[in-house]
Amino acid sequence: MTGMKTTDIRRTFLEFFRQHGHEIVPSSSLVVSGDPTLLFTNSGMVQFKDVFLGLEQRPYRRATTAQKSLRVSGKHNDLEEVGPSPRHHTFFEMLGNFSFGDYFKREAIRMAWDLLLNKFNLPVERLWFTVFEGDERVPADEEAIQYWREAGASPERILRFSGKDNFWVMADTGPCGPCSEITVYIGDDLAKMHPRGVNSDDPDYVEIWNLVFMQFERSTMQPLPRPSVDTGMGLERMAMVLQGVNSTYETDAFTPIIERTMELLGTDQPHYAAHFAQYRAVADHARATAFLIADGVLPGNNGRSYVLRRILRRAVYQGRSIGFTQPFFAEVVARVLDEMSDAYPQLSERRSFILETTDTEEQQFLRTLSSGLTRLNALVERLKAEAQTTIPGAEAFRLKDTDGFPLDLTQKIATDYGLHVDVAGFDAALAEQRARSRAAAQFKRTADAELWGDQALPDTSFTGYTSFSETATVLAMIANGDDVSRAEAGQAVQVALDRTPFYAESGGQVGDTGYLIGANGRMRVEDTLRPVPGIIVHYGVVEEGTLARGEPVTAQIDPARRRDIQRNHTATHLLHRALRDVIGEHAAQAGSLVAPDRLRFDFTHNRAIAPEQLREIEQRINTWIRSDAPVAWDVTDYQTALDNGAIALFGEKYGDRVRVVHAARIPADGGYADAEIAAIATRDSRELCGGTHVARTGEIGLAQIISEGSVGSGIRRIEMLTGREAMAWFTSQLDTLQAVAGKLGIPAAQAPERVDALLADLKQRQHELDALQGKLMRGELEAVLAHTQTHDGITLLVTQVAAPDVTRMREMGDWLRAKLGSTVIVLGSVIDDKPQLLTMITPDLVKQGYHAGNLVRELAQIVGGGGGGRPDMAQAGGRDASQLEAALAQVPTLLAAQRR
């Protein structure tokens, strides 16, 4: 074969189709937006799904892409095969060319033939072409057969297969059609090549390209008016073929990553050969980890976040199984970034965040891995002793819930021991937990969507970017779930107009409030939503008179509230830009709330922002505000917006035409001191945004950050006030400071120093009090020593003590153990009307078989409780304080049983 590198294959494919009139469309995110059926992008056609369905128009009819893809769940669950299989991956790249009602079978086949033979130089004698053989509903694809023969394929190389292999379906409805797959034989001996190898499990036959011809409507099987083409070529598989190897892991897409893993571990080729599955899994999972984090996914316990956590932790466990004892995975991911940043620049832009997130998750997992393995090993030993072969689902779930073990990791370890996991029991335990935590709420928006979806209304014209008031016509009204023509005073109602200045809640910005005023009545609008795309609905109550369908109304938003919202929304953009300038470009928006009284901004970052960094962020924003820089917006195409530096949010779905909000930098001649100019963001703020904004930054007035903290793994949150709310906050803070100063009888400026002095004095007095209590305790414990006895040759102290809390109880135990030396100590106490037990056993006696945790567990049962702990120290609580004396009396008997 040609030995062409992966980067050259990608470039050759895209350039070939560009020369044939295709638009090179950038890869979409791995995070799928607007499609609840998919967690991740798993093929090249996903970003064009609405185009194929006729729901979206693009300015081009031919496209080509190199699409980031991930298959780990649902129909395409490849995770368990990754490592042992020579060609399975989680993350991969799918090369594709697409026709949206433009060319069809003849040209698709002709271009495929041209690319494979004349650009990739594949030997035609190794190629096979499959087509649909037909069934009772659809005839055989004779067209494809004819076009392959026209292109140059020998008739004996064109094979017919059933719909299982050669008919593509998107869903129960929508486009479908026959497909034609191209297979290459990579075996050493052409004489052994046979048609039976195609579409078989024989590894010498590799499917490299699938041409899908969207020709029919699935529900009726009638021909589509504009048939289309969707093709997919796995880049890694094509690299394997062209580089003349038998595994995708032997291509240049993976060898640098595997070599880096070996370098970190200090191993050689024989070690790799003996543990190739683990090395491959680490390499594959490093690629998936890098791209998922780059696309805004962070490790967590739900949805996409949990998939990333599974992949990352599986890689860490695989690394541990081949000899890693310290964190290593971030170093492997770094090699992925080195290799793939040229093709995907976002990997370089977010490099530090990707590596930090990876390392943080690995460190967190390693802290629980040892304890989890200990728990699992003990469970395995118990099951084997009981001749059991299945790990109960509840136990597997406990490992996930307590130690962070994903189910597939528990399954892998169980397989190593020759055991199975009760997956149904695991699912039941998981479902039970979710049911307990799920709020029993009904979401009215789902019902509203159904109601308004049946109205068949034209899209609402939104005029609120430039107007606070608008004359409009009532198109439809819904009250109590029914379509109504009139609403009376006191009636709750939902109203749709032909045009409105009311902004519907979207993109974090809350909906407008205000009034709809007609000739015969007035409605107070309490919220504005968009229950179905394109339709703005006003939710509220008729305050007086009546409101009727078809009548004209004046739609008037609350202007003061809207201005507060606009201040906060523009300030959110300034905050986003300042955050990226101060802590790094990885600080991507992960959620927001833009309300009239405050703004809340969630962003990706792995640690608390230092106080000096928060001050710098705040200073940048306020200097930007004082500069009174212009804020403008325009509508442009999506790619142009990105090329001009606009920020698009991960996971959001954008059309070809987008609205860009632009807050300019302070002008160099703005009359501000150099230091203030330097404090301004190094770049303008440009974001794709459909919200409402101020016209100039000066309208914001003032910005004040009031909190910063964590809201999840790798997610931080800033809350900020602007305008009059910020001024009210400052006034409140000043009032509080002056009140404190008044109580202290000092000027406000001296309050911090005086409070520090008072705290130091309080701390000193607490030390003195602790010392006195310690002396008192030791005096009491001297008397306790009188209860010491010898039992079966060991020193034993069993007694009830008076302790204010369990901390003081442990301090008593520590003092007594130090005083007595080799000993068993059992203390009981009643704290807050509940019995508490503490057991301590010195190491020499632990070696003889005594176990504090086992002892306290049996004692706790007597007082109606439970507990446990280490062999040398354990504690437990109960419910029945009346049985404490009886429990202590059982200590000698229970110790004797341990000795036996």
Side-chain angles (χ1 to χ4, degrees):
M1 302 296 178
T2 65
M4 186 180 290
K5 292 184 178 180
T6 303
T7 54
D8 295 329
I9 298 171
R10 184 192 302 113
R11 182 171 56 250
T12 298
F13 186 97
L14 296 176
E15 181 59 23
F16 174 85
F17 283 103
R18 187 193 67 78
Q19 293 175 358
H20 285 78
H22 292 64
E23 178 82 10
I24 298 179
V25 180
S27 171
S28 64
S29 170
L30 286 173
V31 177
V32 182
S33 175
D35 188 344
T37 66
L38 286 176
L39 269 182
F40 299 105
T41 300
N42 61 14
S43 66
M45 66 81 60
V46 170
Q47 68 165 308
F48 301 117
K49 183 175 179 179
D50 285 349
V51 182
F52 286 124
L53 291 172
L55 302 175
E56 179 186 347
Q57 296 294 322
R58 297 281 180 109
Y60 43 80
R61 297 180 66 185
R62 298 182 175 201
T64 184
T65 65
Q67 175 63 51
K68 301 175 292 186
S69 303
L70 195 81
R71 292 182 181 176
V72 291
S73 58
K75 178 181 176 182
H76 301 291
N77 190 342
D78 288 345
L79 185 58
E80 293 309 312
E81 292 296 321
V82 174
S85 166
R87 298 167 192 173
H88 274 80
H89 305 290
T90 54
F91 174 85
F92 61 97
E93 293 181 74
M94 184 68 80
L95 306 177
N97 60 289
F98 308 89
S99 164
F100 310 120
D102 189 52
Y103 62 84
F104 200 44
K105 295 180 186 179
R106 172 178 273 131
E107 191 165 359
I109 289 173
R110 180 186 59 78
M111 288 189 293
W113 180 274
D114 187 16
L115 177 62
L116 292 176
L117 271 69
N118 300 320
K119 298 298 181 182
F120 290 144
N121 298 316
L122 289 178
V124 67
E125 64 270 16
R126 289 181 174 270
L127 296 179
W128 297 84
F129 310 92
T130 68
V131 297
F132 178 53
E133 67 180 7
D135 59 21
E136 67 277 3
R137 300 186 68 185
V138 181
D141 195 355
E142 299 294 344
E143 291 178 320
I145 295 173
Q146 174 188 339
Y147 298 147
W148 278 121
R149 294 180 66 176
E150 287 179 3
S154 299
E156 66 271 13
R157 292 301 181 88
I158 304 172
L159 307 178
R160 299 168 184 253
F161 283 88
S162 69
K164 173 180 174 292
D165 295 303
N166 280 83
F167 197 89
W168 179 88
V169 175
M170 179 184 287
D172 292 337
T173 60
C176 66
C179 59
S180 183
E181 296 179 341
I182 303 164
T183 297
V184 61
Y185 175 71
I186 63 171
D188 294 331
D189 188 355
L190 281 174
K192 294 182 179 179
M193 187 172 63
H194 194 280
R196 288 195 299 270
V198 178
N199 281 344
S200 74
D201 293 330
D202 190 330
D204 283 341
Y205 296 82
V206 182
E207 180 213 320
I208 56 171
W209 204 352
N210 188 14
L211 314 182
V212 175
F213 306 122
M214 299 185 184
Q215 192 170 355
F216 304 102
E217 206 294 319
R218 175 64 173 168
S219 59
T220 64
M221 296 307 294
Q222 294 299 308
L224 295 172
R226 295 173 62 237
S228 299
V229 175
D230 155 31
T231 84
M233 172 190 287
L235 175 59
E236 294 80 5
R237 285 195 170 203
M238 194 63 185
M240 180 186 73
V241 170
L242 292 178
Q243 293 174 22
V245 294
N246 293 314
S247 167
T248 49
Y249 290 99
E250 297 173 31
T251 68
D252 67 333
F254 287 93
T255 52
I257 308 169
I258 293 173
E259 288 168 358
R260 178 56 176 158
T261 307
M262 294 171 64
E263 178 185 335
L264 291 168
L265 191 55
T267 54
D268 52 16
Q269 196 62 32
H271 189 271
Y272 169 74
H275 304 89
F276 68 89
Q278 292 92 328
Y279 280 98
R280 289 174 176 177
V282 169
D284 172 272
H285 294 357
R287 289 179 11 131
T289 296
F291 278 91
L292 282 170
I293 297 174
D295 275 358
V297 181
L298 298 173
N301 292 325
N302 296 293
R304 299 181 179 99
S305 295
Y306 184 59
V307 172
L308 172 57
R309 173 161 282 172
R310 285 175 58 202
I311 290 173
L312 199 156
R313 292 189 171 191
R314 188 172 187 265
V316 172
Y317 178 77
Q318 298 280 10
R320 183 184 177 103
S321 70
I322 58 175
F324 282 107
T325 59
Q326 298 296 322
F328 73 96
F329 194 49
E331 292 289 340
V332 181
V333 172
R335 179 55 57 89
V336 175
L337 306 184
D338 294 339
E339 295 294 321
M340 303 194 72
S341 288
D342 286 345
Y344 297 98
Q346 68 268 35
L347 294 177
S348 177
E349 294 167 2
R350 309 198 81 202
R351 182 184 182 93
S352 61
F353 182 70
I354 293 168
L355 297 180
E356 187 175 335
T357 300
T358 301
D359 184 62
T360 298
E361 177 67 13
E362 180 176 15
Q363 299 270 13
Q364 179 179 333
F365 181 47
L366 288 175
R367 284 194 290 271
T368 62
L369 181 60
S370 295
S371 62
L373 287 174
T374 300
R375 189 191 309 273
L376 183 55
N377 289 336
L379 176 61
V380 168
E381 291 301 320
R382 178 169 64 81
L383 292 174
K384 285 188 171 183
E386 297 171 356
Q388 300 292 320
T389 60
T390 301
I391 294 178
E395 294 289 351
F397 176 74
R398 190 172 295 112
L399 283 164
K400 172 191 177 295
D401 201 39
T402 304
D403 299 296
F405 270 42
L407 175 61
D408 53 290
L409 179 55
T410 301
Q411 289 175 306
K412 183 185 186 311
I413 298 171
T415 301
D416 293 342
Y417 284 103
L419 299 175
H420 303 283
V421 176
D422 173 17
V423 177
F426 175 91
D427 291 339
L430 178 61
E432 183 180 348
Q433 185 200 55
R434 287 175 175 170
R436 288 195 302 266
S437 62
R438 188 183 300 119
Q442 298 295 322
F443 297 97
K444 72 179 182 75
R445 292 196 185 186
T446 301
D448 289 349
E450 294 176 358
L451 291 171
W452 286 103
D454 293 338
Q455 294 291 323
L457 298 174
D459 287 356
T460 309
S461 175
F462 176 63
T463 63
Y465 290 134
T466 57
S467 175
F468 285 4
S469 180
E470 184 68 60
T471 300
T473 300
V474 177
L475 297 183
M477 304 170 67
I478 290 177
N480 296 320
D482 294 321
D483 186 12
V484 297
S485 60
R486 179 182 300 271
E488 308 286 343
Q491 192 170 10
V493 66
Q494 304 171 21
V495 177
L497 308 175
D498 63 335
R499 54 200 294 109
T500 182
F502 282 76
Y503 182 85
E505 178 181 322
S506 178
Q509 179 175 329
V510 299
D512 279 325
T513 62
Y515 289 92
L516 302 182
I517 304 170
N520 301 307
R522 182 177 69 177
M523 170 186 168
R524 183 179 72 253
V525 178
E526 298 172 340
D527 200 0
T528 309
L529 303 172
R530 189 180 285 107
V532 293
I535 307 301
I536 297 175
V537 177
H538 310 74
Y539 292 69
V541 177
V542 178
E543 285 192 333
E544 59 183 51
T546 62
L547 209 63
R549 184 170 56 204
E551 75 170 327
V553 294
T554 298
Q556 172 68 57
I557 66 174
D558 182 337
R561 183 176 182 272
R562 164 68 85 79
R563 290 189 180 96
D564 286 337
I565 293 171
Q566 293 182 165
R567 291 186 184 98
N568 283 332
H569 204 154
T570 304
T572 300
H573 286 213
L574 304 189
L575 170 61
H576 193 183
R577 181 67 263 164
L579 269 168
R580 289 184 173 226
D581 289 338
V582 173
I583 66 174
E585 288 295 327
H586 66 271
Q589 181 173 338
S592 68
L593 171 68
V594 178
D597 58 336
R598 71 193 189 284
L599 70 88
R600 187 178 71 214
F601 188 80
D602 296 346
F603 57 98
T604 52
H605 192 55
N606 280 320
R607 65 173 69 90
I609 298 180
E612 59 272 17
Q613 289 179 310
L614 275 179
R615 284 194 295 273
E616 181 181 352
I617 291 166
E618 198 173 75
Q619 179 190 13
R620 286 171 179 261
I621 296 170
N622 280 305
T623 308
W624 210 338
I625 291 170
R626 290 196 302 275
S627 76
D628 197 29
V631 179
W633 60 270
D634 66 341
V635 176
T636 184
D637 66 90
Y638 178 73
Q639 193 56 47
T640 298
L642 297 186
D643 292 343
N644 290 334
I647 296 174
L649 303 185
F650 290 114
E652 287 292 320
K653 185 173 183 178
Y654 299 99
D656 280 324
R657 303 292 290 175
V658 294
R659 183 172 184 263
V660 182
V661 176
H662 171 218
R665 287 181 296 176
I666 178 175
D669 59 352
Y672 289 88
D674 289 345
E676 286 192 310
I677 294 175
I680 283 296
T682 56
R683 281 184 276 176
D684 297 1
S685 166
R686 293 179 187 269
E687 295 197 25
L688 306 189
C689 178
T692 62
H693 292 267
V694 298
R696 304 188 71 87
T697 59
E699 295 177 38
I700 299 172
L702 176 68
Q704 175 63 43
I705 295 173
I706 59 171
S707 70
E708 189 276 337
S710 172
V711 291
S713 177
I715 303 292
R716 308 292 298 181
R717 171 174 292 172
I718 282 179
E719 295 201 30
M720 190 165 77
L721 306 177
T722 69
R724 53 184 179 175
E725 291 294 337
M727 284 301 302
W729 183 87
F730 273 111
T731 299
S732 173
Q733 297 295 305
L734 182 59
D735 289 345
T736 300
L737 177 60
Q738 290 175 336
V740 171
K743 291 181 181 297
L744 295 173
I746 58 173
Q750 297 177 13
E753 183 180 348
R754 183 59 180 274
V755 169
D756 285 342
L758 289 173
L759 289 174
D761 182 59
L762 180 61
K763 186 176 181 179
Q764 178 60 34
R765 292 176 186 273
Q766 186 63 50
H767 282 319
E768 294 172 357
L769 179 59
D770 289 343
L772 289 173
Q773 289 178 334
K775 289 182 179 179
L776 180 61
M777 180 191 74
R778 288 191 292 274
E780 294 173 347
L781 292 179
E782 291 288 353
V784 168
L785 290 172
H787 296 279
T788 303
Q789 55 183 298
T790 300
H791 182 80
D792 285 345
I794 64 171
T795 301
L796 174 63
L797 173 57
V798 182
T799 187
Q800 186 169 338
V801 297
D805 51 47
V806 292
T807 300
R808 186 55 57 88
M809 196 173 174
R810 283 196 297 269
E811 291 174 357
M812 291 178 174
D814 289 338
W815 188 88
L816 291 167
R817 181 171 53 187
K819 197 78 172 176
L820 292 171
S822 176
T823 186
V824 174
I825 297 171
V826 181
L827 301 181
S829 185
V830 178
I831 301 173
D832 295 331
D833 299 325
K834 297 295 175 67
Q836 296 290 333
L837 291 159
L838 173 73
T839 60
M840 288 184 169
I841 300 177
T842 51
D844 60 312
L845 298 180
V846 170
K847 292 179 180 179
Q848 295 181 29
Y850 295 105
H851 195 291
N854 295 341
L855 176 59
V856 83
R857 185 179 299 110
E858 296 184 75
L859 294 173
Q861 293 175 2
I862 300 173
V863 295
R870 305 191 309 265
D872 62 324
M873 195 278 284
Q875 64 185 62
R879 295 182 298 274
D880 189 355
S882 66
Q883 293 299 309
L884 181 58
E885 185 175 344
L888 295 177
Q890 289 297 311
V891 171
T893 302
L894 295 174
L895 277 176
Q898 285 196 7
R899 184 67 177 267
R900 289 195 297 269

